[in-house]
Amino acid sequence: MKFFIDTANIEEIREAAAWGIVDGVTTNPSLVAKSGRTLEENLREILDIVDGPISAEVIGTETGEMVSEGRRLAKIHPNVVVKIPMISAGVAATKILADEGINVNVTLIFQPAQGLLAAKVGAAYLSPFVGRLDDVGEDGMAIVQSLIEILDNYDYRAEVLVASVRTPAHVITAAEMGADVATCPIAVLRQLFRHPLTDRGLESFLADHAKAEKAREDTKLRSV
Ligand code: G3P
């Protein structure tokens, strides 16, 4: 499974990239707003850190606006993936951009039918928002399962990109289901490394090593 980091924060991207596990980056207008910089400023820096798909979202809501924004973003670098919201105008824009060879990530997917439509018009990625579905009492991961089954039946090029990931359990369930990508905030990526028994085990290994070294030194001193 590919791991993307879901942030527009450059320090977070640098930190996660240094771990060697980051295949790409997703941003959205809220994350860009939080960074205090423009999308383009962030994009240019991110492209220098991660050599993989970087999703950049359009702001327009009419097909024409989304297409011109998408073309402008895609021109910045071949790794830029244009993120388009799952509305009918967005599906139309996705078809135009995909036909031109531009990679599109269709975002804000909350039900399988939306994913099917996005796949049909040539989206490169389908982004179901699992955490936000859980928030309203639905089973977020169920849509991931459904999208994987739908894509198995046809030759659509789309990959399932699990988004709005809130917990390591989301990531593991996504991997068990065979999702192509999980995009995670840095907090979730950090959690994936940790277990208290790992910390406790390492602490005792190092303490035992130090004790043995000290005993060896003491023996050496005594024999001099
Ligand atoms: O990738 C989409 C993601 O940024 C949304 O996450 O936590 O705001 O629902 P969240």
Side-chain angles (χ1 to χ4, degrees), residues 43 47 52-56 73-74 76-82 102-103:
L43 256 187
L47 286 160
I54 316 294
S55 286
L73 289 168
I76 294 176
H77 193 279
N79 281 351
V80 171
V81 175
V82 178
I102 293 172
N103 287 323

Side-chain angles (χ1 to χ4, degrees), residues 188-204:
V188 173
L189 289 177
R190 287 187 189 128
Q191 281 178 296
L192 295 176
F193 286 93
R194 304 292 306 270
H195 193 284
L197 290 179
T198 306
D199 298 339
R200 216 186 299 162
L202 180 59
E203 212 175 287
S204 70

Side-chain angles (χ1 to χ4, degrees), residues 31-223:
L31 294 170
V32 171
K34 213 160 106 187
S35 78
R37 305 187 327 159
T38 67
L39 175 59
E40 281 76 3
E41 283 166 348
N42 281 318
L43 256 187
R44 290 183 196 281
E45 214 166 327
I46 296 170
L47 286 160
D48 281 340
I49 304 170
V50 176
D51 183 16
I54 316 294
S55 286
E57 190 158 340
V58 300
I59 299 300
T61 52
E62 301 296 331
T63 300
E65 293 168 342
M66 287 189 258
V67 168
S68 24
E69 266 187 85
R71 285 179 183 143
R72 184 174 51 75
L73 289 168
K75 251 192 221 132
I76 294 176
H77 193 279
N79 281 351
V80 171
V81 175
V82 178
K83 211 168 172 191
I84 301 257
M86 178 59 224
I87 53 179
S88 54
V91 171
T94 299
K95 167 105 180 96
I96 295 167
L97 293 170
D99 285 351
E100 292 174 7
I102 293 172
N103 287 323
V104 178
N105 173 357
V106 175
T107 188
L108 291 167
I109 291 181
F110 292 97
Q111 57 140 326
Q114 295 176 315
L116 175 59
L117 294 177
K120 185 174 174 53
V121 293
Y125 299 99
L126 312 178
S127 288
F129 275 33
V130 299
R132 292 192 194 185
L133 280 167
D134 292 350
D135 289 345
V136 295
E138 291 188 40
D139 176 5
M141 292 311 296
I143 183 179
V144 174
Q145 184 66 59
S146 172
L147 290 173
I148 289 170
E149 282 171 29
I150 289 169
L151 293 179
D152 271 352
N153 290 338
Y154 302 98
D155 282 334
Y156 300 134
R157 66 185 290 252
E159 294 187 21
V160 177
L161 190 167
V162 181
S164 186
V165 165
R166 305 274 172 76
T167 63
H170 278 147
V171 179
I172 297 311
T173 309
E176 286 167 349
M177 288 175 171
D180 301 285
V181 192
T183 189
C184 308
I186 188 98
V188 173
L189 289 177
R190 287 187 189 128
Q191 281 178 296
L192 295 176
F193 286 93
R194 304 292 306 270
H195 193 284
L197 290 179
T198 306
D199 298 339
R200 216 186 299 162
L202 180 59
E203 212 175 287
S204 70
F205 287 161
L206 295 179
D208 290 344
H209 172 76
K211 225 187 289 167
E213 285 293 290
K214 181 159 185 327
R216 248 192 303 275
E217 281 302 308
D218 290 351
T219 318
K220 225 191 282 170
L221 283 178
R222 269 200 302 274
S223 65

